[in-house]
Amino acid sequence: MKTALLLIDLQNDYFPGGRMELVGSEPAAACAAQALRLFRDRGLPVIHIRHEALKEGATFFLPGTDGASIHELVKPEADEPVVVKHYPNSFRETDLLARLREAGVTRLAVAGMMTHMCLDAGVRAAVDLGFECAVLSDASATRDLEFNGAVVPAAQVHGAFLAALQAAYAPVMTVAELPSKFLV
């Protein structure tokens, strides 16, 4: 079974000074960088996902802006593919599935942003397409949300979505746990 690392939307707009700053984006990116080094050191495939917003009225990830660029901590190397998407689901109207199948990948370690949106959509789609997934909790981040006039803190949003994924879709673990729990 071949395992790849899927890094979803680790882009500048999610970091301090960006147009949609997330809670904990910097520590999450540092953990994602650790996972990236682990995969590179083992010669395992890495695929970067980069969102470009084409929807009218979009306020972040605008094409051609620095905010839409992948963050320096997880910058792709020349041989690492970057899949550009326009929807939360990384597989929708992209060549991601074809790339993974061509490379013989059957398992995905997934990290990225936002936990409650693109990470969640990507993991669910991957599992539905037959991939075994693991979600890297400390290499992912989200933001506060609002529901019925109440603010739901990012930590609760993050926890709720990870708990839901773990219940039916994928084990959730830290980057430090990855070698012993998923890369065996």
Side-chain angles (χ1 to χ4, degrees):
M1 293 191 293
K2 191 171 186 180
T3 305
L5 177 63
L6 190 61
L7 296 173
I8 299 175
D9 298 353
L10 289 152
Q11 295 168 246
N12 292 331
D13 271 341
Y14 282 152
F15 291 82
R19 295 177 184 213
M20 179 58 74
E21 183 178 339
L22 302 184
V23 175
S25 57
E26 290 175 310
C31 289
Q34 291 174 355
L36 183 55
R37 280 192 298 278
L38 175 67
F39 273 72
R40 286 174 176 166
D41 289 348
R42 291 184 178 206
L44 295 171
V46 174
I47 297 180
H48 301 263
I49 305 295
R50 189 173 68 79
H51 194 112
E52 282 191 358
L54 298 182
K55 186 176 179 182
E56 189 174 326
T59 58
F60 63 102
F61 292 164
L62 302 176
T65 65
D66 182 59
S69 297
I70 294 175
H71 194 273
E72 186 66 29
L73 281 175
V74 291
K75 185 177 179 180
E77 291 185 347
D79 62 337
E80 294 171 350
V82 177
V83 173
V84 177
K85 67 179 180 68
H86 307 294
Y87 301 96
N89 176 351
S90 298
F91 292 90
R92 182 177 172 185
E93 298 179 26
T94 70
D95 65 349
L96 177 58
L97 180 60
R99 286 176 181 272
L100 292 170
R101 294 260 160 87
E102 184 177 312
V105 171
T106 58
R107 305 171 84 217
L108 296 170
V110 186
M113 302 174 182
M114 294 185 282
T115 310
H116 77 276
M117 187 62 65
C118 296
L119 177 86
D120 180 71
V123 170
R124 289 173 187 261
V127 172
D128 287 346
L129 290 166
F131 294 93
E132 181 183 349
C133 292
V135 179
L136 304 177
S137 60
D138 56 346
S140 304
T142 194
R143 64 184 182 94
D144 296 346
L145 295 179
E146 187 178 315
F147 181 71
N148 283 343
V151 173
V152 182
Q156 291 179 10
V157 174
H158 187 70
F161 274 82
L162 292 176
L165 287 171
Q166 184 170 269
Y169 283 89
V172 175
M173 63 193 66
T174 65
V175 172
E177 295 171 317
L178 185 60
S180 64
K181 288 189 173 183
F182 199 68
L183 293 178
V184 289

